[in-house]
Amino acid sequence: MDVLQYSPQNLSEPPSLYPGYVSTVPRSPRQKLVSIPQTLTEVTGPIDFGDRVLRAPVHDMTRQGKGDPIGERIIVSGRILDDRGRPVPHTVVEVWQCNAAGRYIHKKDQHDAPLDPNFTGQGRVVTDAEGRYRFVTIKPGAYPWRNHHNAWRPAHIHFSLFGAGFATRLITQMYFPGDPLIDIDPIAGAVPADARRRMVSRFDIDTTENEWALGYVFDVVLRGRDATPMENPL
Amino acid sequence: MNDVTAPPRLGLTPWQTVGPFFHYALPWEGGENLVREGVQGERIVVRGRVLDADGAPIPDALVEIWQANAAGRYDHPEDCQADRPIDPAFIGFGRCPTDDDGMFAFHTVRPGQVPGPGNSMQAPHIALGLFGRGLLRRLVTRIYFPESEGNAVDPILGLVESDRVGTLMATREGEQDGMPVYRFDIHIQGANETVFFDV
Ligand SMILES: [Fe+3]
């Protein structure tokens, strides 16, 4: 059985080993990855499972507590596309982030910043038939980490996406335009500068809602199917 | 290999680490259990540890698996094997964060064989994705079972240097509630480094 494969991984992916991000040193393989053809295993993947196993959708992360969370309410919207610009419909998008003060609800987050009883920082949406998603949240704060002296993560929202198959899985981070921390952050900086810009959302006045919240647009591009079946590399 | 007349491809959104703080968002209750009442096939437990270069356990990793059901069928429109039934009591996808000892464990069924490239058949296997703090991008590997007949002719194992194939083999580790338990430790680095795939 020959299957139509997904496009190759991008050359501008971060490497597994990036010494500026210190934890990659003991946590990256030293042997070369073994290239394999995509088989039925890689071109299939979990779809239509969201309602069966995952928790309920959360479109508004400012409505998870008894009251309003502290911080700047924002709208994040965009499209999930493949690399030929075709929408990826009905796909699960999981997001998580710290609160406006830069603190996560997590036992290992030691940052001396307050928790917000009205903000959990996790959401889940599903794209529509045109690949669109939208959620409401609070703008996350920057937070320190112990990678090096005076290390601060730029404000970011974590995104987890599936797409159509095992090979299209993606976890990334969305950054905010104009943040001076992006270019000195070893995690964002592990990605070459051209491709790094693809992780920066843009402010959008049309997504912004009058007297309510600023809007940011973040489109995500996943691997797509090749137009023609590839030569069988075996 | 790409069609040169096609419109230029959009740049892919790059990978970033899942970070250390995903626990409130990604794991879900029962995410490590792929079986429901009445599942077809042989139930098994697959468990192991995720270890770093020094052999130290990684307590903030996330493991995802994707596999065919016992009949060798994926619950996905791309799998058109009409003679192999989809099992409504089986979910082919699981997710498990590692614990303080770097351990993960899944309750699943022994997967059937699935077609490979050309006329080949793949030996029973489970695709595995590994995420964690310090992992800028997902690491992909496969779990195989040592006693499977198809291993010797598996088209993917055939691409792996013979002295490293062992890192893809789970080992039998007794029984739990009457189910075979398989052990699959993942060595991200070091003398026994697990084979990771570029897919
Ligand atoms: Fe973060």
Side-chain angles (χ1 to χ4, degrees), chain B:
Chain B
M1 281 202 272
N2 293 335
D3 181 354
V4 290
T5 62
R9 292 177 182 266
L10 302 177
L12 302 183
T13 305
W15 273 90
Q16 292 276 269
T17 178
V18 73
F21 301 135
F22 59 82
H23 295 82
Y24 202 82
L26 295 185
W28 72 87
E29 183 84 31
E32 74 295 340
N33 185 6
L34 285 71
V35 302
R36 302 289 181 267
E37 195 65 34
V39 73
Q40 302 292 309
E42 183 191 5
R43 295 184 56 165
I44 60 172
V45 176
V46 178
R47 67 184 179 200
R49 283 175 105 192
V50 182
L51 303 160
D52 73 8
D54 306 314
I58 296 184
D60 46 15
L62 181 73
V63 178
E64 289 182 351
I65 61 171
W66 169 246
Q67 67 165 91
N69 67 21
R73 176 83 187 259
Y74 288 104
D75 186 4
H76 186 281
E78 202 65 35
D79 188 335
C80 308
Q81 305 176 86
D83 55 329
R84 300 177 180 208
I86 288 171
D87 181 351
F90 180 68
I91 296 194
F93 176 68
R95 185 186 272 171
C96 184
T98 55
D99 68 13
D100 290 345
D101 296 317
M103 286 288 303
F104 66 89
F106 291 99
H107 286 249
T108 183
V109 296
R110 189 187 298 278
Q113 289 195 266
V114 298
N119 294 318
S120 66
M121 283 299 280
Q122 303 188 66
H125 65 275
I126 297 173
L128 186 150
L130 177 66
F131 311 81
R133 181 177 67 81
L135 277 70
L136 278 162
R137 48 195 286 196
R138 175 178 69 163
L139 291 175
V140 171
T141 188
R142 286 181 168 205
I143 303 170
Y144 283 84
F145 301 90
E147 66 278 25
S148 304
E149 275 180 29
N151 286 343
V153 293
D154 181 85
I156 301 302
L157 290 178
L159 297 172
V160 176
E161 290 172 73
S162 55
D163 61 339
R164 299 190 68 208
V165 167
T167 69
L168 302 173
M169 291 292 159
T171 54
R172 183 71 187 264
E173 195 185 59
E175 290 194 356
Q176 177 181 318
D177 305 326
M179 292 178 284
V181 175
Y182 286 92
R183 176 84 180 202
F184 188 79
D185 288 345
I186 302 171
H187 299 260
I188 293 186
Q189 200 190 113
N192 201 25
E193 183 179 307
T194 299
V195 169
F196 297 106
F197 294 115
D198 183 5
V199 298

Side-chain angles (χ1 to χ4, degrees), chain A residues 104-115:
Chain A
Y104 283 91
I105 297 184
H106 194 284
K107 63 182 193 297
K108 287 182 180 156
D109 187 351
Q110 304 293 314
H111 180 31
D112 180 21
L115 286 169

Side-chain angles (χ1 to χ4, degrees), chain A residues 1 13 21 23 25 27-28 30 34 38 41-42 55 83-84 94 106 164 169 172 175 198 221 226, chain B residues 9-10 12-16 23 27 64 74 76 95 118 125 133-134 138 142 189 193 196 198-199:
Chain A
M1 176 186 282
E13 291 298 340
Y21 177 13
S23 297
V25 176
R27 294 186 172 191
S28 53
R30 289 294 175 272
V34 176
Q38 290 167 17
T41 305
E42 287 77 29
R55 63 188 83 192
D83 56 4
R84 295 202 185 273
E94 295 161 288
H106 194 284
R169 186 88 172 88
T172 189
Y175 300 97
R198 298 177 202 146
V221 180
D226 273 312
Chain B
R9 292 177 182 266
L10 302 177
L12 302 183
T13 305
W15 273 90
Q16 292 276 269
H23 295 82
E64 289 182 351
Y74 288 104
H76 186 281
R95 185 186 272 171
H125 65 275
R133 181 177 67 81
R138 175 178 69 163
R142 286 181 168 205
Q189 200 190 113
E193 183 179 307
F196 297 106
D198 183 5
V199 298

